[in-house]
Amino acid sequence: MKVVADVGIVGMPNVGKSSILKALTNAHPKIAGYPFTTLEPNLGVLHIDQGDVQKNIVIVDVPGVIEDAWEGKGIGPWFLRHLERVNTLLHIVAPSTDIISNPKYSNSQIVEQMLNDYKVVRAELAKYGKGLPEKKEIVVVNKMELVEEGNRAEIEKEFKKETGKDLIWVSAGMGEVSKLVDKLS
């Protein structure tokens, strides 16, 4: 049986997909600092109240996608079927703490790492097919607190140059998701 949701959260392991689901909705997914904490889809409902307009958006969080998931690596691609019915994909990327912890890191290193993660997930979606690569996509950078605010514009510019995609910066752990809520409204 496939989950029916409006929005599907996708990305590599440990980028904060479940944390974003929790920050946006009433869901209580398991959250931990190791890969594949999420082993099955989690659902939550984002309630949007704009005065006279109220809307509920069902969001599904699926396990992390890794390179060669299609060939059975990680926990495989089977869970991607839960994204077939969504209208929009929230593609989550996050700066690597390995890069950020190096005092000599550069914005280019962050962009390169996030682009690589983005491309790996997009490639796995393409291998899966079934309309996933063509779905509307919102690219979200989680863990924005790891990147100095002054560096974000340059990172955004480089990322957009490569992908054509704008970035929405959030911090699920700090509950800073209002720009994402606005985008989903």
Side-chain angles (χ1 to χ4, degrees):
M1 188 153 88
K2 295 177 189 171
V3 169
V4 178
D6 303 303
V7 175
I9 301 175
V10 67
M12 299 285 278
N14 288 60
V15 293
K17 296 176 304 298
S18 296
S19 297
I20 286 176
L21 179 70
K22 183 178 180 181
L24 290 173
T25 73
N26 56 352
H28 298 286
K30 182 177 179 183
I31 297 171
Y34 55 86
F36 305 113
T37 307
T38 302
L39 296 175
E40 56 191 40
N42 293 300
L43 288 170
V45 179
L46 170 61
H47 302 285
I48 298 174
D49 186 354
Q50 297 173 327
D52 57 342
V53 177
Q54 295 187 359
K55 185 171 18 174
N56 291 325
I57 300 172
V58 179
I59 303 174
V60 63
D61 163 35
V62 299
V65 177
I66 64 169
E67 191 167 15
D68 297 329
W70 187 248
E71 286 78 31
K73 294 211 176 153
I75 60 174
W78 68 269
F79 55 84
L80 292 176
R81 74 180 188 273
H82 296 292
L83 300 177
E84 290 176 26
R85 295 184 181 179
V86 304
N87 299 320
T88 303
L89 295 174
L90 287 185
H91 190 146
I92 312 302
V93 295
S96 166
T97 53
D98 290 342
I99 293 172
I100 299 296
S101 64
N102 180 344
K104 296 181 181 180
Y105 81 87
S106 69
N107 289 341
S108 294
Q109 289 173 303
I110 294 171
V111 172
E112 183 179 325
Q113 171 257 311
M114 290 194 319
L115 277 170
N116 182 62
D117 291 356
Y118 176 80
K119 289 174 182 178
V120 164
V121 173
R122 291 298 302 175
E124 294 302 315
L125 293 177
K127 289 175 190 174
Y128 183 81
K130 299 187 182 179
L132 295 188
E134 293 81 28
K135 291 196 180 287
K136 177 183 173 188
E137 178 185 57
I138 299 170
V139 182
V140 178
V141 179
N142 190 26
K143 305 177 186 181
M144 69 179 187
E145 69 277 9
L146 298 178
V147 177
E148 291 181 33
E149 191 171 349
N151 293 338
R152 294 179 197 158
E154 181 183 331
I155 291 168
E156 263 184 77
K157 183 179 175 183
E158 287 185 49
F159 193 92
K160 186 170 184 167
K161 181 179 171 184
E162 288 289 321
T163 65
K165 301 286 183 176
D166 291 316
L167 298 175
I168 296 177
W169 294 81
V170 302
S171 175
M174 299 174 76
E176 294 181 32
V177 294
S178 60
K179 288 181 182 176
L180 180 54
V181 171
D182 291 346
K183 184 74 172 178
L184 293 170
S185 296

